[in-house]
Amino acid sequence: MKSSLLIITLMLSIMSETIAQNAGEIIFSSSPIDPLQPAEMKTGFKAGDPIYAVAYLPSTVQEIYKAKAEAKLEVEVFIYELKPPLYSYQEPSEEQLTFGSMWVSGNALKNKFLVIDLVPLPDNTNAYGTPEITYKEFGKKFDGPVNYAENLAKLTSGDHELKILVRCYYNDAASGKLKISGNDFSVYNKSSEELNLAAQNAGAKNAMFPQAKMKDAATESRMIAALKNSNDWKSGWLNATEVLKIAIVDADWYIRRSEITGAILHRYIRAAIAFKTKEGTCAYFQATFQEDYVSGKFQPLKYDGAGDRNPINCENLSK
């Protein structure tokens, strides 16, 4: 028993020393990396290779932000191309290719490292579909690896040196350099498309429709009518064909007053609305509804805009 405890203690000590030695650094590989026991690390890649990375931080993300355990925090990942200087005494210049935001929560906040899949294989990544590391969807494309692959596809034929920088709370937390070469980088366009499809499928599979905090059938009916009467719905911008489910996500109305006079301007409330897309899939968004206050009474309810679209498996709407 004592020998087992000694071995465990020794292993933990070695792991903590490895992380401490790499604080502030980013390592790379063509396959997923175990942050505590990294192996098969490399800094040279060819166009089309998968690229995985781990950033070792000076302290945990939670400590850096001085945040609560339940927080969801933004970590920025920048990709720069290093351009050779004109003269030998000058430093290489940094040309930003792109950047993305990863949102970190749960146990990932408590680690002194971040697993960053830059251009992973679609069927071998934790970038999408895991609750502790998430990327937002903009339009019909996800941030993160989808974005990184799309921008690597813009590289010209030849050799390139890239710098990857992780920034937490507006401060540089870790960085690393890699070299990548090839005649045709457009192969990463296919990687981007495949990763985007994987992200959509993963997000939809794990998505759960928000719980209602208020039950009011009459208000829900007016919300749906106001939504369908909006330009967002009629123009097709929402990509919706049919409302499937609605849940009022606020427990009560919020009153907004004039900052100068204190007079009531309007009241508003939010609802999650699930719908069928034009492609036949399901999704939901959070919409805001408003009632203006005129002549001592609230006016008819109107739609006041929707947030990001969240893919969801249709069968999840019945849970």
Side-chain angles (χ1 to χ4, degrees), residues 151-216:
N151 280 276
L152 287 182
K154 299 175 183 178
L155 293 174
T156 58
S157 174
D159 301 328
H160 301 270
E161 185 174 14
L162 304 180
K163 175 182 175 181
I164 315 301
L165 173 67
V166 170
R167 188 169 290 166
C168 298
Y169 209 23
Y170 309 109
N171 293 311
D172 297 351
S175 66
K177 297 177 183 178
L178 62 87
K179 293 182 179 180
I180 188 166
S181 60
N183 296 322
D184 185 7
F185 285 86
S186 66
V187 64
Y188 281 123
N189 280 323
K190 183 179 179 182
S191 299
S192 180
E193 293 171 359
E194 292 175 344
L195 285 165
N196 200 53
L197 181 60
Q200 291 174 343
N201 293 337
K205 180 180 178 181
N206 295 306
M208 297 301 294
F209 191 68
Q211 294 292 316
K213 292 186 179 179
M214 177 195 293
K215 296 284 188 178
D216 187 331

Side-chain angles (χ1 to χ4, degrees), residues 74-110:
E74 181 183 18
V75 174
E76 294 178 307
V77 179
F78 291 81
I79 300 181
Y80 297 93
E81 181 176 5
L82 301 181
K83 298 287 189 177
L86 292 175
Y87 304 101
S88 59
Y89 60 83
Q90 294 178 322
E91 293 293 325
S93 61
E94 297 179 355
E95 182 178 299
Q96 183 177 311
L97 288 180
T98 188
F99 80 97
S101 294
M102 58 191 300
W103 295 85
V104 184
S105 61
N107 289 329
L109 292 176
K110 303 173 184 177

